[in-house]
C-alpha cells in the first residue's frame, strides 16, 4: 500500500477511535445505572481502555507515515519501531480479546458482562464500535502493512506485565468499592477467580500468537534485534 494511502487510512482510523472513545466517556443520562459510574468510571472497563489504546496506536502510525512522506527517515525509523511494538504486543491482542470475550459472554448471559439496562444508555452503534469493529480493524492493519514482532520472550513479558497492571486495577477497585468491575466476577470463589484470570491471560497470549502467525504468513517474519 502506498505511503500516502496508509497515511490517509491511519488518520481516519485515529479520528474514528478518538470519536468513539470521546462518545463513550461523555455519555449523558438523567438516571445512569450505578454499575456504570462507580469508582473508576468508564476507565475500569477494558473495552474503554482498548479504545484509547487503539487511538494512540493509529496516532503513532499516522505520525510514522507523515515522517516517511516528508523524508524524515531517521525519526520515522524510531516511530515505526514503537508502532510495531505497540501493535504486536497490545493493539492486536487486546482488541481481539475484547471482541471474542465480550461476544462469547454476551451470547452466554449478557447480564454477566453487559446488563440490559445499558441498552437505554449506550446506542447500538456504539456497542458494536467498541466490541465488534475493533477486530476487523486489527485484521485490516495486518493486511495493510507488515509489522516487526519482538522476540517471543520480550513480547510475552510486556503483554503479561500490562495484563498484571489491569488485573491489579480491577482488584483495587473491588477493595475500594466492594463491587466487581464485571458482575461475572462475583460468581467466582477466590481460587475460581484466579483460574479465570489465568484462563483469560492464556486467551490473550493466544491472540498474540495468532497475530504473529498472520503477520508471518502474509509478510514473512521480521524481528527486532
Amino acid at each position: 500500500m502506498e505511503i500516502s494511502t496508509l497515511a490517509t487510512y491511519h488518520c481516519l482510523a485515529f479520528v474514528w477511535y478518538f470519536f468513539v472513545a470521546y462518545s463513550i466517556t461523555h455519555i449523558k443520562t438523567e438516571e445512569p445505572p450505578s454499575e456504570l459510574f462507580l469508582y473508576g468510571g468508564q476507565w475500569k472497563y477494558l473495552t474503554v481502555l482498548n479504545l484509547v489504546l487503539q487511538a494512540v496506536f493509529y496516532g503513532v502510525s499516522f505520525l510514522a507515515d507523515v515522517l516517511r512522506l516528508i523524508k524524515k527517515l531517521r525519526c520515522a525509523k524510531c516511530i515505526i519501531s514503537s508502532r510495531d511494538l505497540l501493535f504486536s504486543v497490545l493493539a492486536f491482542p487486546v482488541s481481539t480479546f475484547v471482541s471474542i470475550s465480550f461476544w462469547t459472554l454476551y451470547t452466554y448471559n449478557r447480564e454477566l458482562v453487559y446488563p440490559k439496562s445499558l441498552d437505554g444508555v449506550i446506542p447500538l452503534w456504539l456497542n458494536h464500535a467498541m466490541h465488534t469493529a475493533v477486530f476487523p480493524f486489527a485484521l485490516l492493519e495486518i493486511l495493510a502493512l507488515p509489522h516487526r514482532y519482538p522476540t517471543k520472550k520480550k513480547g510475552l513479558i510486556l503483554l503479561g506485565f500490562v495484563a498484571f497492571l489491569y488485573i491489579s486495577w480491577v482488584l483495587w477497585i473491588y477493595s475500594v468499592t466492594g463491587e466487581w468491575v464485571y458482575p461475572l466476577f462475583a460468581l467466582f470463589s477466590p481460587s475460581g477467580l484466579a483460574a479465570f484470570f489465568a484462563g483469560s491471560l492464556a486467551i490473550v497470549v493466544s491472540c498474540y500468537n495468532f497475530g504473529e502467525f498472520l503477520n508471518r504468513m502474509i509478510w514473512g517474519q521480521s524481528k527486532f534485534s
Side-chain angles (χ1 to χ4, degrees), residues 1 5-6 8-10 12-13 16-17 54 57-58 61 87 91-92 95-96 132-147 210 214-215 218-219:
M1 189 179 290
T5 304
L6 277 175
T8 301
Y9 163 64
H10 286 143
L12 291 175
W16 166 251
Y17 274 113
Q54 301 303 319
F57 165 72
Y58 283 106
S61 298
F87 178 77
F92 183 87
S95 61
T96 304
T132 307
V134 290
F135 182 54
F137 263 103
L139 289 178
L140 182 58
E141 179 65 22
I142 284 186
L143 294 172
L145 74 161
H147 297 83
F210 178 57
L214 289 179
N215 187 75
I218 297 171
W219 301 104

Side-chain angles (χ1 to χ4, degrees), residues 70-176:
I70 63 177
K71 307 300 182 181
K72 298 291 186 179
L73 300 182
R74 181 175 298 181
C75 294
K77 184 177 180 180
C78 179
I79 299 299
I80 289 171
S81 295
S82 300
R83 177 203 69 190
D84 288 346
L85 187 64
L86 187 60
F87 178 77
S88 61
V89 175
L90 292 178
F92 183 87
V94 175
S95 61
T96 304
F97 174 79
V98 164
S99 186
I100 292 175
S101 61
F102 175 82
W103 288 114
T104 298
L105 292 170
Y106 186 97
T107 301
Y108 173 72
N109 183 353
R110 65 170 297 176
E111 293 299 319
L112 298 177
V113 65
Y114 192 83
K116 193 173 181 61
S117 59
L118 294 182
D119 287 346
V121 179
I122 300 177
L124 181 61
W125 74 265
L126 188 53
N127 181 21
H128 283 292
M130 295 187 296
H131 300 116
T132 307
V134 290
F135 182 54
F137 263 103
L139 289 178
L140 182 58
E141 179 65 22
I142 284 186
L143 294 172
L145 74 161
H147 297 83
R148 292 179 298 164
Y149 270 68
T151 62
K152 183 62 69 69
K153 180 179 179 180
K154 179 180 179 180
L156 294 183
I157 287 176
L158 290 174
L159 179 59
F161 177 70
V162 173
F164 171 77
L165 290 179
Y166 180 68
I167 292 173
S168 297
W169 174 229
V170 169
L171 295 176
W172 171 259
I173 291 173
Y174 177 74
S175 70
V176 172

Side-chain angles (χ1 to χ4, degrees), residues 7 10-11 57-70 75-76 79-80:
H10 286 143
C11 180
F57 165 72
Y58 283 106
V60 171
S61 298
F62 177 61
L63 176 60
D65 296 334
V66 171
L67 290 174
R68 292 173 66 192
L69 283 171
I70 63 177
C75 294
I79 299 299
I80 289 171

Side-chain angles (χ1 to χ4, degrees), residues 181-195:
V181 171
Y182 299 102
L184 171 68
F185 296 163
L187 302 179
F188 295 108
S189 64
S191 58
L193 188 61

